[in-house]
Amino acid sequence: MNASYFLPLLVFAPIVMLLIMAIVPKTEKTFIQRFLIIGTLPSLAIAIYGYVKFLQGNSLESWAIHHRWLQFGDLSYLQEKMFQVDFEMGVDGLSILMVLLTAIIATMAAIASFKIQKEWKGYASLFLLLETGMLGVFTSGNMVLFFLFFELTLVATFFLIGKWGGIAREKAAYSYLIYNGLGSALLLFVIVLTFIKTGSVNFEKLQFLLAGNAAGFASPVSGVVKGWMLAGILVAFAFKLPAFPLHRWMVKVHVEAPPSIVMLHSGVLLKMGAYGMIRFGLELFPKEFHLAGLWIMIAGLVNLLYGALIAFVQSDLKKVLAYSSISHMGIVLLGLGAANEAGVQGAIFQSVSHGFISAFLFMLVGILVYRGTTTDIRKLGGLAKKMPMFSGFLLAAGLASLGLPGMSGFISEFMTFLGVFQKWPVIGAIGTLGIILTAVYVLKAVLNITFGEMEIVKKKWFDLKRAEWIPSVCLTFVILLIGLYPSIISKALQHTIESLMIGMGG
């Protein structure tokens, strides 16, 4: 098969499955449930194949596609058409890693969706649409295509929360829409300004044009304008990450959305914030990003400590995990703000690691919800006797979250703080308090649930089913693999990190 077909198949396979499913009667619930899982497998297979090829030293440049799309005027620069927006997709070490993260979690979330109670056909259709949007974001070759796929994820997630969420689902959905819509509006403004100033939205061309190599071009971009453009990018993606004080919508979503959708939200959608800061900010404005590093680190420190403190006092497991995500995203900001090799690599590791860990934890939360029990930690207890396998996996996920050596959480936090201590030791020392608090609130929640006093007495407690075993084992395996063999990620990121350091003069 021609390699240029791989990316379209990877991204649009869920849409093809959606169209096939359109002819299936909505009453065929069991068939649709299974077909949803099958619909995620082509993208998963291609993502694994591509990542293995990349690790073996094979370039994925042959996967790239480039087609004429939109043209504004007939201006050229260095024999290149300007003010032209093409349909272009491609992957490098960072994007193929994020694609693999997305594909794995999408399949695990599809398996975990089996307890959705109503309108399965609509749910499965929006789920596959959301997967296409997420994969498209990480494979886009220019700002406009990125933005279109980015908005596709916003629309699909809005309806998934508003239709299949909890009691306050509509409030959570509109909160999600408003906050993320504001971030999208700011991002669109920056994209338009970039296009006007440079005549291009292609990521590779923009690195050349914005670096000051476009001497003689009609509208050079001044340092002041670059600074404001970077500020707009950071704020736009801070809504998505989210960063304090733009985080309140995320807590509502984590509490009200269906657990399977929260797996995608916490595991992948939040990571688009970090990916956007790297792709739009660090790659295009490396010098300005380096200058803003201290402020980014301070924002990360606030996120880390605030999230950990609020998580510690929560009594609902969903809220504990929601504020835990805010805290862990603070570690990502700390690494990016350090703007050195260890810090940036640690930030990417943290994005991937937290993606798998948070998806695992919310899958386990979903099991509690679907058993018809509460997620109030004060009322749960003694599950180690009634659900020993569930309790074992919960403990494993909790230990990964607090950074136990041998698991993915440890290596990501270690590299991030190594970069922070190299740059600002004082910020690193204060940040370690957040790591200590993380261990406290995670162990407090997990031990109360597994070994505390049981207040809810049910006649029929039952442990994990087969559909719950599969994602539990797979996610545990991935978390351990990254923790024990971190080069499986660092090898893929080597060229990307080197390019970023060169851009910042390192």
Side-chain angles (χ1 to χ4, degrees):
M1 180 184 290
N2 190 327
S4 63
Y5 292 123
F6 280 119
L7 273 187
L9 282 174
L10 169 76
V11 175
F12 296 108
I15 294 290
V16 174
M17 294 297 183
L18 188 159
L19 296 175
I20 295 173
M21 192 172 61
I23 64 175
V24 179
K26 63 180 180 180
T27 54
E28 297 291 333
K29 176 182 174 182
T30 302
F31 178 83
I32 294 173
Q33 287 177 328
R34 295 173 180 172
F35 194 81
L36 172 60
I37 300 172
I38 294 171
T40 66
L41 296 181
S43 297
L44 176 62
I46 296 172
I48 294 174
Y49 172 76
Y51 195 74
V52 171
K53 293 285 286 183
F54 194 83
L55 289 180
Q56 291 174 345
N58 298 292
S59 172
L60 298 183
E61 290 183 3
S62 60
W63 285 33
I65 60 173
H66 190 144
H67 299 288
R68 292 288 297 273
W69 195 17
L70 301 172
Q71 177 69 48
F72 303 90
D74 196 35
L75 182 65
S76 298
Y77 175 74
L78 296 179
Q79 298 181 342
E80 294 265 350
K81 284 288 185 182
M82 306 305 290
F83 298 103
Q84 176 176 303
V85 180
D86 295 333
F87 188 92
E88 46 196 343
M89 304 177 76
V91 287
D92 57 9
L94 173 61
S95 54
I96 192 62
L97 175 61
M98 301 308 293
V99 162
L100 183 62
L101 169 73
T102 302
I104 292 174
I105 294 180
T107 300
M108 299 301 105
I111 297 172
S113 297
F114 71 100
K115 285 294 186 178
I116 292 295
Q117 299 296 320
K118 60 182 180 180
E119 299 185 34
W120 249 95
K121 187 172 182 179
Y123 172 85
S125 299
L126 286 168
F127 186 104
L128 293 171
L129 192 66
L130 175 58
E131 183 181 11
T132 287
M134 294 186 298
L135 293 169
V137 162
F138 297 125
T139 55
S140 297
N142 64 56
M143 288 180 163
V144 171
L145 200 57
F146 177 101
F147 183 80
L148 292 176
F149 281 117
F150 192 78
E151 293 306 289
L152 181 61
T153 66
L154 190 153
V155 173
T157 306
F158 169 75
F159 285 110
L160 285 165
I161 297 170
K163 184 68 176 180
W164 288 272
I167 296 175
R169 57 184 179 273
E170 292 184 5
K171 185 177 180 180
Y174 280 108
S175 181
Y176 169 82
L177 183 66
I178 292 170
Y179 275 89
N180 284 268
L182 289 172
S184 295
L186 185 55
L187 179 62
L188 180 60
F189 175 79
V190 174
I191 292 172
V192 172
L193 179 60
T194 303
F195 190 54
I196 292 171
K197 285 288 187 179
T198 65
S200 178
V201 288
N202 177 274
F203 289 121
E204 290 186 7
K205 291 180 182 177
L206 285 172
Q207 289 185 55
F208 173 80
L209 294 170
L210 292 170
N213 298 319
F217 189 63
S219 181
V221 184
S222 68
V224 174
V225 174
K226 287 181 185 179
W228 282 108
M229 291 168 73
L230 175 62
I233 287 169
L234 292 176
V235 174
F237 287 111
F239 277 99
K240 196 72 178 176
L241 197 65
F244 178 88
L246 309 174
H247 67 285
R248 299 197 54 161
W249 65 270
M250 192 269 276
V251 178
K252 296 176 184 177
V253 170
H254 276 46
V255 172
E256 298 298 336
S260 53
I261 299 306
V262 182
M263 288 176 67
L264 292 174
H265 185 261
S266 64
V268 181
L269 293 175
L270 298 185
K271 308 310 175 287
M272 289 180 187
Y275 180 81
M277 287 184 180
I278 296 172
R279 192 64 84 202
F280 281 71
L282 192 52
E283 285 189 354
L284 301 184
F285 306 96
K287 294 179 181 178
E288 290 74 19
F289 198 99
H290 188 269
L291 292 174
L294 176 60
W295 296 106
I296 296 171
M297 292 176 72
I298 291 173
L301 185 63
V302 172
N303 251 49
L304 173 61
L305 297 177
Y306 170 82
L309 284 168
I310 303 301
F312 175 73
V313 299
Q314 297 301 313
S315 58
D316 187 292
L317 183 58
K318 289 182 179 179
K319 290 186 177 182
V320 171
L321 298 181
Y323 284 105
S324 174
S325 290
I326 294 171
S327 181
H328 281 88
M329 289 301 94
I331 297 176
V332 173
L333 288 173
L334 282 171
L336 293 179
N340 51 28
E341 184 173 352
V344 174
Q345 184 163 281
I348 298 172
F349 260 82
Q350 176 68 5
S351 297
V352 175
S353 171
H354 181 263
F356 287 121
I357 294 170
S358 63
F360 191 7
L361 285 166
F362 274 101
M363 189 214 73
L364 296 172
V365 168
I367 292 173
L368 289 177
V369 172
Y370 297 140
R371 293 290 191 273
T373 61
T374 180
T375 54
D376 190 329
I377 298 172
R378 296 168 299 183
K379 296 180 180 179
L380 289 169
L383 290 187
K385 294 181 179 179
K386 300 293 184 179
M387 302 170 66
M389 297 311 303
F390 169 88
S391 299
F393 281 118
L394 179 63
L395 179 60
L399 292 175
S401 181
L402 63 83
L404 182 74
M407 293 182 156
S408 62
F410 171 78
I411 191 67
S412 59
E413 292 176 3
F414 175 79
M415 284 192 294
T416 301
F417 275 89
L418 179 62
V420 173
F421 273 102
Q422 287 176 359
K423 193 70 173 288
W424 287 94
V426 174
I427 292 179
I430 299 172
T432 55
L433 296 176
I435 302 300
I436 296 171
L437 278 172
T438 300
V440 174
Y441 70 72
V442 167
L443 290 175
K444 173 188 172 185
V446 171
L447 294 179
N448 281 345
I449 290 172
T450 53
F451 298 109
E453 184 178 349
M454 179 175 289
E455 291 191 16
I456 299 177
V457 179
K458 295 186 66 177
K459 293 181 180 180
K460 294 183 179 180
W461 286 97
F462 54 93
D463 216 337
L464 301 183
K465 295 182 177 181
R466 182 174 60 181
E468 297 161 344
W469 261 99
I470 295 172
S472 297
V473 171
C474 291
L475 291 172
T476 301
F477 172 76
V478 173
I479 290 168
L480 288 172
L481 178 63
I482 296 173
L484 296 173
Y485 186 56
S487 61
I488 198 170
I489 292 181
S490 60
K491 186 177 180 181
L493 294 175
Q494 183 175 356
H495 179 70
T496 300
I497 299 297
E498 289 175 356
S499 299
L500 292 173
M501 294 303 105
I502 292 172
M504 287 187 290

